[in-house]
Amino acid sequence: MVTLGSGWIARLPLSFALIYLVVGILLGPYAFGLIQLRRDGVFNAEVLEKITELVVIISVFSCGLRIVRPIRLGTWGITARLIVFLMPISILALAVVGKLFLGMNWGEAILLGAILAPTDPVLASEVQLTDINDQDELRFGLTSEGGLNDALAFPFVYFGLHALKDDNWGNWFKQWIAVDLIWAIAAGIVMGIVVAKSIVWIEKKIQKRRRADELMEDFIAISTILLTYSLTEMVNGYGFLAVFVAGLVVQRSYRNPEKPLAQLEFVEQVEKLLEVGTILLLGSILLLQPMLNYGMQSLLVIILLLFIIRPVGVWISTIGKRPVESHRRTFHPGTRWLIGWFGIRGVGSLYYLAYAFGNGLKGEAAEQIAWITYTTIVASVIIHGISATPLMKWYERNIANKIKANPPATIDEFE
């Protein structure tokens, strides 16, 4: 029904994820009871972790494939600011909220911040790059941020988990810096480049001898994703980061631009299918009483995160930033506020929560963080789902089209 009605739905202030969420609630324990991750009071976090893990790695690869920009600081300046400045600001601010207002210790508060700080590359398709020729700065910033911060929130998740197990930070802080911060990030970048280039090289050699079946060719994208992710995890690197880098590498490795475009279309279809399943699962695990029990805490986090921390953090992070595709000396204020508004939370946060369940988060702290996370994601799906279409139409009409009508002289570097 969603597929057949997608032409109408796309014109409405309504996201596909919102529809899936409602159906998931109907399939859960309050209606038909067809999806049950919680039996006899025990929640099956492992199933949620594996499904969300698969969705995220496919989605971040898709983000990488969409981006066609020179790998230079000047053209990736907005991404660098959103990752280097905004994400730590978000995590720290949420941690302070958790410590001061939610009664958490610092380990629990930092873990909450790390779980909720990443924006979602899966549910944000309406505000991301539409194709490989799209160079819009707002869409580029949100796409590259979503592709990277789902990987680079991991060090802070590990920090929170270490702090939960041992509140004497001196016992593990140096190891966290060396392994979880420096080694894992470096390994993710290197493996993303090496594995992707190796697969492309092997494919080109074999294709010269005998062409692969056209129906099977696009599955090379899935092979690249799974091999890159698994090999990177084997050397204790961040697989999410490696897969995003692999997407960038694959996009630049073919002389025929139709090749990565075909892979992108195939990956996007798989991503859409997995999005359905993930949001159905989210809807099915929602329970009214726990959501009410933590309702005031969740409401505080939602208001502060979506309406204050994210917008103000973006404004601070983009001070003095000059847009690449415009004559303006600084970002248009409307663009800055829209980047701040579209901090969509979703599948990435679900994955980190499920991962934390399996690695030391338990008891009352687990319940508190879980229901705050679920409620925040639901609020984001509803609020951003309703606002994405009208706000992006306003942006295209009032900001993007004016920039396209007056391109700077240096636009040739993108051609």
Side-chain angles (χ1 to χ4, degrees):
M1 288 175 64
V2 168
T3 302
L4 293 175
S6 57
W8 288 290
I9 296 170
R11 299 165 64 94
L12 298 173
L14 184 69
S15 69
F16 297 125
L18 184 54
I19 298 172
Y20 304 147
L21 183 66
V22 172
V23 175
I25 294 172
L26 294 176
L27 295 177
Y30 286 121
F32 298 103
L34 295 177
I35 302 178
Q36 296 186 29
L37 282 187
R38 188 180 282 101
R39 288 183 179 275
D40 302 323
V42 178
F43 178 61
N44 193 336
E46 187 176 354
V47 171
L48 182 64
E49 179 186 345
K50 294 304 178 186
I51 292 175
T52 52
E53 185 177 30
L54 180 61
V55 177
V56 172
I57 61 174
I58 289 176
S59 185
V60 296
F61 183 78
S62 173
C63 288
L65 275 180
R66 285 194 190 102
I67 297 173
V68 183
R69 282 200 175 198
I71 307 297
R72 295 199 300 267
L73 183 59
T75 54
W76 284 72
I78 182 62
T79 310
R81 287 167 175 258
L82 294 178
I83 297 300
V84 175
F85 299 127
L86 175 61
M87 193 169 68
I89 288 172
S90 301
I91 293 172
L92 179 61
L94 283 168
V96 170
V97 171
K99 175 66 175 177
L100 297 183
F101 300 107
L102 305 182
M104 297 179 175
N105 61 42
W106 277 115
E108 296 161 357
I110 291 170
L111 187 57
L112 175 69
I115 288 170
L116 286 178
T119 55
D120 194 70
V122 183
L123 306 181
S125 56
E126 290 92 342
V127 299
Q128 291 184 346
L129 294 173
T130 53
D131 56 57
I132 61 173
N133 297 313
D134 189 350
Q135 297 295 341
D136 181 82
E137 196 80 354
L138 169 65
R139 293 182 181 274
F140 168 72
L142 293 171
T143 302
S144 55
E145 181 196 16
L148 277 172
N149 67 11
D150 261 353
L152 297 178
F154 234 132
F156 301 97
V157 171
Y158 281 130
F159 190 101
L161 291 173
H162 286 318
L164 278 181
K165 296 173 184 176
D166 185 356
D167 57 8
N168 185 352
W169 294 10
N171 291 337
W172 47 263
F173 187 74
K174 289 182 180 179
Q175 180 184 350
W176 176 79
I177 291 286
V179 178
D180 298 328
L181 197 61
I182 298 175
W183 168 259
I185 291 175
I189 294 171
V190 171
M191 291 296 288
I193 296 170
V194 171
V195 177
K197 281 190 172 293
S198 300
I199 292 173
V200 171
W201 182 82
I202 292 169
E203 183 203 354
K204 286 179 178 178
K205 288 291 184 182
I206 294 176
Q207 294 274 40
K208 282 182 181 179
R209 294 179 177 273
R210 185 175 294 276
R211 296 285 300 174
D213 188 302
E214 287 188 14
L215 288 174
M216 299 293 291
E217 235 180 312
D218 291 340
F219 282 97
I220 293 170
I222 301 297
S223 305
T224 305
I225 292 168
L226 298 180
L227 282 169
T228 302
Y229 185 75
S230 56
L231 291 173
T232 304
E233 290 290 318
M234 287 172 66
V235 297
N236 291 322
Y238 290 133
F240 290 169
L241 177 59
V243 171
F244 176 77
V245 172
L248 295 174
V249 170
V250 169
Q251 178 58 253
R252 289 157 175 76
S253 297
Y254 293 100
R255 292 181 180 177
N256 178 11
E258 295 301 316
K259 185 81 173 181
L261 183 60
Q263 289 193 16
L264 176 59
E265 291 175 352
F266 173 70
V267 169
E268 284 181 331
Q269 290 174 342
V270 176
E271 180 186 358
K272 290 293 182 186
L273 186 61
L274 289 172
E275 177 191 342
V276 179
T278 307
I279 303 304
L280 287 179
L281 279 181
L282 173 61
S284 72
I285 61 181
L286 298 179
L287 295 175
L288 183 59
Q289 192 57 51
M291 292 180 76
L292 291 176
N293 291 344
Y294 297 99
M296 293 306 297
Q297 296 184 21
S298 300
L299 183 62
L300 177 66
V301 170
I302 290 165
I303 292 173
L304 291 177
L305 175 60
L306 301 187
F307 294 94
I308 298 177
I309 295 173
R310 167 79 184 187
V312 173
V314 168
W315 197 265
I316 293 171
S317 302
T318 55
I319 291 174
K321 175 69 180 77
R322 182 171 182 170
V324 174
E325 84 283 30
S326 172
H327 288 295
R328 294 180 60 92
R329 291 187 176 275
T330 58
F331 262 107
H332 191 288
T335 303
R336 293 171 76 182
W337 284 122
L338 284 176
I339 293 175
W341 174 243
F342 287 121
I344 301 172
R345 268 62 187 179
V347 179
S349 294
L350 278 179
Y351 168 74
Y352 282 127
L353 176 65
Y355 182 87
F357 281 152
N359 289 272
L361 180 62
K362 54 190 175 182
E364 175 61 26
E367 285 290 299
Q368 183 183 24
I369 292 175
W371 289 108
I372 291 174
T373 301
Y374 296 147
T375 308
T376 303
I377 295 172
V378 170
S380 180
V381 168
I382 295 171
I383 296 170
H384 293 120
I386 291 172
S387 63
T389 299
L391 284 179
M392 290 308 293
K393 285 182 177 178
W394 175 86
Y395 169 76
E396 293 291 343
R397 185 172 59 252
N398 293 282
I399 300 176
N401 289 339
K402 291 181 180 179
I403 292 175
K404 291 175 185 176
N406 298 286
T410 57
I411 197 69
D412 291 337
E413 71 184 30
F414 289 115
E415 293 179 355

